[in-house]
Amino acid sequence: MNVSQEQVSLTGHPNLFNRRIATDKPVDQMYQRTFRLDLDKTSRALYVVGTVLKVNLNRSAPPSSTYFSVKCSPNVQYRITPPPAKSGPIPTPFNGNTVLLLTMDTASEVENDSKLSVMFYGKKKEVLGKAVVHLTAFEISLDVDADRDGQVERNNPNKGSWMWGPNGHGAILLVNCDSEHTCRKSLDSEHAEVTRVSDLKDMSPMVLRTSGPAKLPEGYKLTMHISQGDAECVRVFRTRSTAGMHQTLSLRFPDKDFEGLISINLSMLEPSSQGFPETPIFTDKVVFRVAPWIMTPNTLDPVEVFVCSTTDNEQFLKRMRRLVENSGCKLKICPEDMNRGDRWMQDEIEFGYIDSPHQRFPVVLDSPRDGHLQDFPYDVLLGQDFGYVTRTAYGKEVSSLDSFGNLEVSPPVTVNGKNYPLGRIIIGVAFPTATKGRNMTKVVQDFLWAQKVQEPIALFSDWLLVGHVDEFMTFVPAPDKKGFRLLLASPDASYKLFRGLQNDGHGQAKMFDGLGAEEITVDKILSDEKLKAENNYVQSCIDWNRDVLKRELGLDDDDIIDLPILFHVIENRAVAYYPDMVNMIVLGKNLGIPKPFGPKVDGRCALEAEMTSLMGGLGLSCTYIDDFASYHKLLGEVHCGSNVRREPFSFKWWNLEM
Amino acid sequence: MNVSQEQVSLTGHPNLFNRRIATDKPVDQMYQRTFRLDLDKTSRALYVVGTVLKVNLNRSAPPSSTYFSVKCSPNVQYRITPPPAKSGPIPTPFNGNTVLLLTMDTASEVENDSKLSVMFYGKKKEVLGKAVVHLTAFEISLDVDADRDGQVERNNPNKGSWMWGPNGHGAILLVNCDSEHTCRKSLDSEHAEVTRVSDLKDMSPMVLRTSGPAKLPEGYKLTMHISQGDAECVRVFRTRSTAGMHQTLSLRFPDKDFEGLISINLSMLEPSSQGFPETPIFTDKVVFRVAPWIMTPNTLDPVEVFVCSTTDNEQFLKRMRRLVENSGCKLKICPEDMNRGDRWMQDEIEFGYIDSPHQRFPVVLDSPRDGHLQDFPYDVLLGQDFGYVTRTAYGKEVSSLDSFGNLEVSPPVTVNGKNYPLGRIIIGVAFPTATKGRNMTKVVQDFLWAQKVQEPIALFSDWLLVGHVDEFMTFVPAPDKKGFRLLLASPDASYKLFRGLQNDGHGQAKMFDGLGAEEITVDKILSDEKLKAENNYVQSCIDWNRDVLKRELGLDDDDIIDLPILFHVIENRAVAYYPDMVNMIVLGKNLGIPKPFGPKVDGRCALEAEMTSLMGGLGLSCTYIDDFASYHKLLGEVHCGSNVRREPFSFKWWNLEM
């Protein structure tokens, strides 16, 4: 229904103007739109509540205009700048660049229900012209959950920007990397349409709120738009059931060329006469940040443990099952027809998760290693609320350092006053001075660095034949200090223990007792000068990493425990001499440790005794698992052959201070 | 010369330790290195002044060790943690994880001139073992101009990081994008070697400072290294003349995939026995930021003006020469054989500069437009201390919006408390709601955004047939307010002026007087309803940009002057109806303005009179240049046909608060 000019009463009430309206912003900071008056004909205008129409009166005035007067409907407020003198003449004389600022408090009920009228007068106060504008006010806002409470609030003043921290703001978008499609599996982000309702909760709601007349005035259009670059990163779906309800998802994780911020704009377009393009008169904007992929350290509670079943590891699986069940979590066994003999469950995948105020789920990062386990993460793990992401090293050589035994994460730390409440990612690379070292592939490194919330540390792992950081380090929970200890393999600690045995008269005690041809006495080990030289070199490599870890994680020596482990060198690179106890699985207070087969004193393995004593001091319980034939001889151990999905952090990544 | 054990006197003096040394850092924050003692043989160690050697005594102690004692040369300081009781027994009993921290104040004069000796004792204080280490101390630092004063200071504690602002720190690298080679010209950055001494001053000096014995102990190596990624961005040259002197340059500007930060590392490698790889024992790091490319607004003093000579612009050049010479700068004319008829000097290039504490020079950004002027920037402008950079839109379509009449920069502004002391870049794009608009090529936009120091603003210019922001806006210096005014083309202002003329009885005054067929009266223009509708549309497009500019530059209406300019619409897009006065050249207080050929009142052009009056209020002098036939009719004006190289900002970009 249109309201004719006569139905609208006209009064001037400039004083109402100074109160703050809709957006709660002072007028100076409100979205201002230059608005033009048409003389001698009645025009129409659409007004968006919370904006200011700014009319340059001089520009619209007929030639020789000296005075003007303004009238409007009761629900229209205006202010004149520079303000006319209170006791000045009526009508008001022009004064330089006279500007009329106009706002309305509430949406119109019907089209054209408000009115502005401006009269222009000459020197003798004769009328020179008159501009009449019929106004229709709409409330329009594109809304998101900018305060991160899981609800889409109305017109959050911070919705157009993104700030880290507990006092920060800005909405969050998940990569829709899970699969609601179970029969013919595929990533949801590869679908152009939302086909299942369950998919909706992975998406971030975005609400287009409008109030005012049921229809926009003829020719006006509301349109949503994003930049060219963002268009490759995001999809927006309209929900059929509820008006104005949209669902948004990201198609990709942050990476080297994508910071993770996405803007979505909403513009009101005004029709032009004569077939010219429409012109925008109002734009609203919301900003999302794509949730990063987050890794989970050993200090988080385990949920599921994954291992492979092979022709030769029945006993290993038995021991693992007992340990896992005692730890209150589930053992998931990848069968032979899926693993095709590839037992290195640690190396093919890394478990992480993505989190937002409205949804959270695990996401597996698939290594470019691509051994025979390569189909497992996509075919088995990917599913509803279980995401999948990978990086492919197109055309680049993949090395052993690309296996995810070479990708770990520390517990939360504080370093020189800087907090890392989600810990720091740890990878192993060649020492940068090496001219022909092996490295983790650049695409994976770029991905890890781009997640930002667990700033990575690069250690030196290329000195190892297999080259994984999990061969010389791990973290275990602790009741004191920083809440954890860093465990490091230490040949020095091993030599010290062996020398102690020798001193105490156990020089003839045998390592690898019961393993047949492998047996060797403590005396023999201690007299092997080549082995000693190799372990001196190994210790210097580990010490370099120890110093880096102390610096980068803010650790003291008291935060580190040296475990007695020997290495030997093959092809100029190191492998564990006996089962590498640091390569353990950590399930809460239960540790599953490769059985070291150390020299026995009074029928008890001296290495186990030392390990159990060191860990016992932290309230941790050690289970020694025989992995000698089925893992150790193949250059891996318990950790290499397993993987743990853990509970996410209770700390929310968006509360990080960056 | 080696110093034998006997020549070194041994005393314990732990109290000296607590004073701060070399790096002026407390010991806890110094670079710590885990150091191992070899029992029962004399070993050698290289120590770097400013670091801490940390000896885990427990680890090195023989089994059953209960006590220990430490002695060292006078220039070696040590501390024991946990500290032994002052009145405790001698030798000192072990206490948990006993650690020995060791430092030296100054470099050694000869190899092995210092000594550390640790004795281990059993329960009955019987000697169990002894470790003797001969120490050689070196001072080593990789140094840069981290305090940005043009001098390379010694071991700046902030050299390993980069911080913006007047209280910031971090060295600066220039892209070596000029050419010292004048006969066969090429970019210096394309050369593997520095061939001319003049090239050195474009580079950032980096000094490797060492003191100590003349040679490193046998087998030790100092090596410089950078990451894989940085290796593509930087080159380091050793200067033959001065020991330790290096020169560094960048091969590329910051861009979407390159933040502009480059780290250079220096590591000391220690030899290993038995042919194992060397292991690093000390790493120093310096960080550079590559200087961004900076544009110069109209408010900076002009140095050189560039125009093209064509078969038809002799008179134009004559007027330009007079204006340029009056403004105290040089006119450079690009001859016909070089411009091959392409007169749009504004569109092919944009002048900017790069700046560092040690060197500064102009750099021309070459547009991917590539008209017939395309060889001019490389062949003529590039030279010694005149750099060149371009971005190529491989395989992408280049539009008229890629011409640099569509790339401008504002004077310095402050927006909602945020300072932009170098102004903000302004480009024109399609309105983002447009489904098939023209845009500036992504590679150029990415480059501009990546420079960071003049955060760009995207205006809507696709409504213009040519599509350049310089068709509707420019900036001129002003003695008051923000130091400048934004000038905007305004059809409304033009109609207002024409209506005033009509009112005053000049309706029969002719536009384009003397131009023959073009002539048209004021009355005729005012009665053209189609023209009026077209200009209503144009005004709404300019008003959208006006509102964006007000928001993004923090402008008031008083900072903006509307110039009386009419447009008409061809193929749904706008072109200037008469010479577009806003498309002017600004040379200090002198403006070179397209002669508008407006209606004459009392023999004087009413448009010129209005323009002269508006600019006169700012103390600016207007020169009207007839560009009607040679530029206006070809859809350009004075600004399109010229380009100005200006003085750089006195403000230094690294002092920006980011």
Side-chain angles (χ1 to χ4, degrees), chain A residues 209-284:
Chain A
R209 291 194 167 102
T210 54
S211 80
K215 286 176 82 172
L216 285 177
E218 197 181 336
Y220 284 86
K221 278 185 201 160
L222 259 182
T223 155
M224 232 177 257
H225 50 101
I226 52 179
S227 73
Q228 271 179 297
D230 286 357
E232 295 159 16
C233 305
V234 71
R235 282 223 180 105
V236 178
F237 299 91
R238 186 179 297 194
T239 311
R240 285 188 196 119
S241 51
T242 318
M245 192 69 191
H246 295 72
Q247 300 291 343
T248 317
L249 60 83
S250 175
L251 301 179
R252 55 184 302 211
F253 280 94
D255 214 326
K256 189 172 172 63
D257 59 349
F258 174 48
E259 195 197 350
L261 290 174
I262 289 174
S263 297
I264 300 181
N265 305 285
L266 174 79
S267 286
M268 175 67 80
L269 300 181
E270 188 170 64
S272 294
S273 58
Q274 306 224 344
F276 302 133
E278 299 129 337
T279 49
I281 58 167
F282 168 75
T283 293
D284 204 8

Side-chain angles (χ1 to χ4, degrees), chain A residues 33-34 36 54 58-59 63 225 277 280 283 431-433 492 496 536-537 539 543-544 547 550 557, chain B residues 33-34 36 54 58-59 225 277 280 283 431-433 492 496 500 536-537 539 543-544 546-547 550 557:
Chain A
R33 175 184 160 210
T34 295
R36 300 165 59 234
K54 199 160 190 173
N58 283 3
R59 203 207 262 184
H225 50 101
T283 293
F431 189 76
T433 53
D492 277 0
K496 179 160 186 176
N536 277 347
Y537 167 65
Q539 186 67 57
D543 281 345
W544 168 264
D547 293 337
K550 282 169 66 180
D557 286 295
Chain B
R33 175 185 160 210
T34 294
R36 301 165 60 232
K54 200 161 190 173
N58 284 3
R59 202 207 264 183
H225 51 100
T283 294
F431 189 76
T433 54
D492 277 1
K496 180 160 185 175
N536 276 347
Y537 167 66
Q539 187 68 57
D543 280 346
W544 169 262
R546 177 193 186 94
D547 293 338
K550 281 169 67 180
D557 287 295

Side-chain angles (χ1 to χ4, degrees), chain B residues 348-362:
Chain B
E348 189 58 46
I349 56 174
E350 188 72 37
F351 288 111
Y353 67 97
I354 56 177
D355 196 5
S356 73
H358 57 282
Q359 172 73 316
R360 179 175 73 192
F361 55 75

